[in-house]
């Protein structure tokens, strides 16, 4: 009764091992949960996950295998003989024999992606790959999967350890290059959708990208309003000398600059030139024939209105909604200050209030270069933000693309506009899947 496979001593040892494994799994899951950084838990802060695993779960650094591309997920964590995979979605899966780094794969027609198979420590057999339907997706013996079917087709890719019963599968779906997304989907996954090119809004011949979803109705167009921003175009220059043409009754300057408006919005007669220039830049085009440089970017039935560009507050709200690992995750800020004159100053990581930031403050590479530069390069001059600077009564906030920083300049400079589109709530956005 005491010894043997079913003896009391062996059963006690198994129970102890199972308890230790369950405790380890729970620590890893808690670390993942603590690292989720948006309301519905779909995004994971990798630096926080690393800290949680090391400091709270007490997992040594050498037991954390950051096997994903550029140290992104999936990760493998081990303790004794236990191995767990943290997938791209944040699922924690025990590796029993073999596991794949992805459980689902979406491929464009003729697109290829690679699956990675992970074997547990005691498994040494070769891995063979197979496709359930090679007319939909093929796979070679290196795990390279190619979509060859039609849009909507699905199949399974299987990785099996030869000489064992261990196998793992991944569901493959052939998708269109363009997909429809809701405001809620965009808001839940800004890293995935911000900066994506929009297919079904093309007014004025510009390229538009998903710029911001206002989940809290901060800018007063309604909860979950989607905003698009036109790409930087060196030829689309405007000086704000027509500031006196703004309509006090219709301008969106107070809504777009709520921090400034709380102190300065009550008496338009006291506004300085730069504040009036911001008001003109925030004058909404709601037709194509208006005498506004951005009216050609309005499309009836799709847009609530178009203005000349995002405000400084909306710019930093959008920027801070996504990760910028390639340039450092700077947290940008804007604050109303009546220092020299009434307007905005910038902050970086909640410090150093100033009228300008240092070079390379802004991410110019990711998210379609919609925050700075063009096509992943620091190129071009300035573009306006629809907000007054506190430097002088004639200076406006802007972006300097060539050096990738937040700046200010006089309203009379001939700088580019990047029109901002407020979309109607019933307009369904189609974006580029890649």
């Amino acid at each position: 009764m005491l010894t043997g496979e079913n003896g009391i001593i062996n059963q006690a040892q198994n129970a102890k091992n199972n308890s230790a494994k369950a405790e380890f799994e729970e620590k890893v899951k808690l670390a993942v949960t603590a690292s989720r950084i948006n309301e519905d838990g779909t995004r994971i802060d990798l630096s926080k996950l690393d800290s949680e695993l090391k400091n709270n779960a007490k997992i040594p650094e050498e037991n954390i295998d950051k096997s994903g591309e550029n140290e992104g997920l999936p990760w493998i964590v081990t303790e004794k003989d236990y191995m767990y995979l943290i997938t791209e979605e944040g699922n924690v899966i025990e590796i029993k024999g073999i596991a794949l780094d992805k459980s689902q794969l979406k491929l464009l027609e003729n697109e290829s992606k690679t699956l990675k198979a992970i074997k547990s420590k005691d498994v040494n057999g070769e891995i063979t790959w197979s496709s359930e339907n090679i007319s939909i997706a093929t796979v070679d013996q290196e795990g390279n999967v190619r979509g060859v079917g039609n849009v909507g087709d699905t199949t399974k890719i299987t990785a099996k350890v030869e000489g064992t019963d261990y196998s793992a599968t991944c569901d493959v779906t052939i998708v269109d290059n363009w997909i429809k997304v809701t405001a809620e989907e965009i808001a839940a996954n800004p890293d995935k959708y911000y900066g994506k090119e929009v297919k079904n809004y093309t007014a004025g011949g510009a390229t538009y990208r998903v710029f911001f979803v206002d989940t809290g109705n901060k800018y007063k167009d309604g909860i979950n309003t989607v905003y698009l921003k036109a790409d930087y175009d060196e030829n689309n220059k405007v000086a704000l000398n027509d500031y006196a043409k703004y309509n006090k009754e219709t301008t969106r300057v107070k809504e777009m600059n709520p921090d400034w408006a709380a102190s300065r919005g009550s008496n338009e007669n006291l506004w300085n030139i730069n504040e009036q220039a911001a008001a003109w830049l925030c004058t909404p085009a709601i037709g194509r024939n208006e005498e506004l440089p951005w009216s050609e970017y309005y499309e009836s039935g799709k847009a609530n209105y178009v203005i000349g560009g995002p405000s400084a507050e909306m710019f930093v709200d959008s920027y801070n909604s996504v990760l910028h690992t390639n340039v450092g995750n700077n947290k940008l800020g804007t604050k109303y200050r009546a220092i020299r004159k009434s307007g905005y100053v910038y902050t970086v990581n909640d410090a150093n209030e100033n009228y300008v930031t240092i070079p390379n403050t802004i991410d110019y590479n990711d998210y379609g270069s919609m925050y700075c530069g063009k096509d992943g390069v620091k190129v071009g001059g300035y573009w306006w933000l629809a907000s007054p600077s506190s430097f002088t009564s004639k200076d406006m906030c802007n972006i300097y693309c060539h050096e990738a920083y937040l700046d200010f300049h006089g309203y009379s400079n001939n700088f580019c506009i990047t029109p901002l589109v407020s979309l109607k709530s019933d307009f369904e956005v189609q974006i580029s899947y890649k």
Side-chain angles (χ1 to χ4, degrees):
M1 292 179 64
L2 292 176
T3 60
E5 186 176 342
N6 297 317
I8 293 173
I9 295 176
N10 195 57
Q11 289 182 31
Q13 185 61 47
N14 288 339
K16 182 179 179 180
N17 291 339
N18 288 336
S19 176
K21 185 177 75 170
E23 181 181 349
F24 178 65
E25 180 179 343
E26 184 63 20
K27 288 193 299 184
V28 176
K29 287 181 176 179
L30 287 173
V32 172
T33 299
S35 305
R36 295 187 184 276
I37 55 176
N38 61 330
E39 290 183 1
D40 65 357
T42 56
R43 296 172 63 214
I44 296 174
D45 185 326
L46 296 184
S47 62
K48 185 171 178 60
L49 177 59
D50 183 70
S51 175
E52 289 287 335
L53 290 172
K54 293 175 182 176
N55 299 327
N56 291 335
K58 305 300 182 184
I59 300 174
E61 183 172 3
E62 60 268 23
N63 288 7
I64 304 171
D65 177 8
K66 298 176 181 178
S67 55
E69 186 176 353
N70 296 322
E71 295 193 344
L73 296 176
W75 290 358
I76 301 168
V77 291
T78 59
E79 183 173 280
K80 298 180 180 178
D81 293 327
Y82 321 135
M83 293 181 67
Y84 282 86
L85 179 73
I86 305 175
T87 70
E88 291 181 350
E89 301 84 8
N91 298 321
V92 178
I93 301 172
E94 183 182 2
I95 302 176
K96 293 182 178 179
I98 187 172
L100 297 179
D101 62 338
K102 298 179 182 67
S103 59
Q104 294 185 338
L105 196 60
K106 293 181 178 180
L107 295 174
L108 304 176
E109 295 180 59
N110 297 315
E111 181 183 23
S112 295
K113 290 184 180 179
T114 301
L115 290 173
K116 182 176 182 179
I118 302 102
K119 294 184 291 186
S120 53
K121 294 180 180 178
D122 56 343
V123 175
N124 300 312
E126 294 294 323
I127 296 173
T128 59
W129 296 84
S130 62
S131 171
E132 186 178 66
N133 190 332
I134 60 173
S135 66
I136 296 175
T138 63
V139 61
D140 64 19
Q141 294 311 303
E142 301 298 325
N144 300 310
V145 184
R146 184 177 184 84
V148 295
N150 299 316
V151 173
D153 288 345
T154 62
T155 190
K156 284 184 184 295
I157 298 297
T158 299
K160 188 178 187 306
V161 182
E162 287 186 339
T164 74
D165 293 329
Y166 295 131
S167 65
T169 63
C170 175
D171 293 323
V172 177
T173 303
I174 309 302
V175 297
D176 196 351
N177 190 40
W178 299 93
I179 60 173
K180 295 179 180 179
V181 289
T182 65
E184 291 76 13
E185 289 173 323
I186 297 171
N189 295 280
D191 290 315
K192 181 177 181 180
Y193 295 122
Y194 275 27
K196 291 297 186 183
E197 182 183 344
V198 176
K199 176 184 182 181
N200 54 339
Y201 195 98
T202 57
T207 297
Y208 297 85
R209 301 184 188 277
V210 176
F211 186 68
F212 185 63
V213 179
D214 189 2
T215 57
N217 197 26
K218 177 178 179 179
Y219 299 100
K220 306 306 179 187
D221 283 332
I223 291 176
N224 284 342
T225 295
V226 178
Y227 294 89
L228 310 180
K229 187 182 77 67
D231 273 1
Y232 172 84
D233 182 352
E234 180 65 32
N235 298 314
N236 198 12
K237 291 183 178 179
V238 171
L240 306 182
N241 291 317
D242 289 331
Y243 64 89
K245 293 182 179 179
Y246 80 93
N247 187 326
K248 293 180 181 180
E249 302 300 321
T250 62
T251 183
R252 301 283 303 174
V253 67
K254 296 178 185 178
E255 290 79 7
M256 287 289 152
N257 296 273
D259 194 22
W260 165 85
S263 298
R264 294 287 288 174
S266 59
N267 191 343
E268 291 90 339
N269 294 324
L270 298 178
W271 290 355
N272 296 314
I273 290 177
N274 59 346
E275 295 168 305
Q276 295 179 57
W280 184 69
L281 201 58
C282 288
T283 300
I286 54 175
R288 296 290 292 272
N289 299 317
E290 300 176 58
E291 292 183 3
L292 291 167
W294 45 90
S295 64
E296 64 179 299
Y297 302 96
Y298 172 82
E299 191 164 349
S300 177
K302 299 181 180 180
N304 294 313
Y305 60 83
V306 180
I307 59 175
S311 66
E313 286 195 53
M314 183 181 284
F315 180 89
V316 301
D317 282 346
S318 171
Y319 193 91
N320 293 337
S321 296
V322 293
L323 300 174
H324 304 279
T325 54
N326 287 334
V327 296
N329 281 309
N330 290 322
K331 178 184 177 184
L332 307 182
T334 54
K335 295 182 179 180
Y336 170 76
R337 290 289 185 267
I339 300 176
R340 299 176 64 166
K341 289 296 179 180
S342 297
Y344 285 94
V345 293
Y346 307 115
T347 62
V348 181
N349 301 321
D350 296 317
N352 302 321
E353 292 185 10
N354 207 335
Y355 315 103
V356 62
T357 66
I358 63 173
N360 299 316
T361 303
I362 308 172
D363 185 352
Y364 57 88
N365 184 46
D366 293 329
Y367 308 103
S369 295
M370 72 175 181
Y371 296 113
C372 186
K374 190 173 180 64
D375 298 328
V377 180
K378 289 186 295 183
V379 64
Y382 298 87
W383 54 270
W384 295 116
L385 293 173
S387 303
S389 169
S390 64
F391 186 69
T392 78
S393 63
K394 297 182 180 181
D395 284 302
M396 295 281 291
C397 296
N398 55 55
I399 305 295
Y400 184 31
C401 294
H402 188 67
E403 295 293 338
Y405 62 79
L406 295 155
D407 204 357
F408 71 92
H409 270 84
Y411 74 99
S412 60
N413 281 281
N414 197 32
F415 293 159
C416 295
I417 58 171
T418 55
L420 183 80
V421 182
S422 169
L423 292 178
K424 290 183 176 293
S425 60
D426 59 354
F427 176 64
E428 196 168 35
V429 177
Q430 294 182 11
I431 64 167
S432 171
Y433 179 73
K434 276 192 170 183

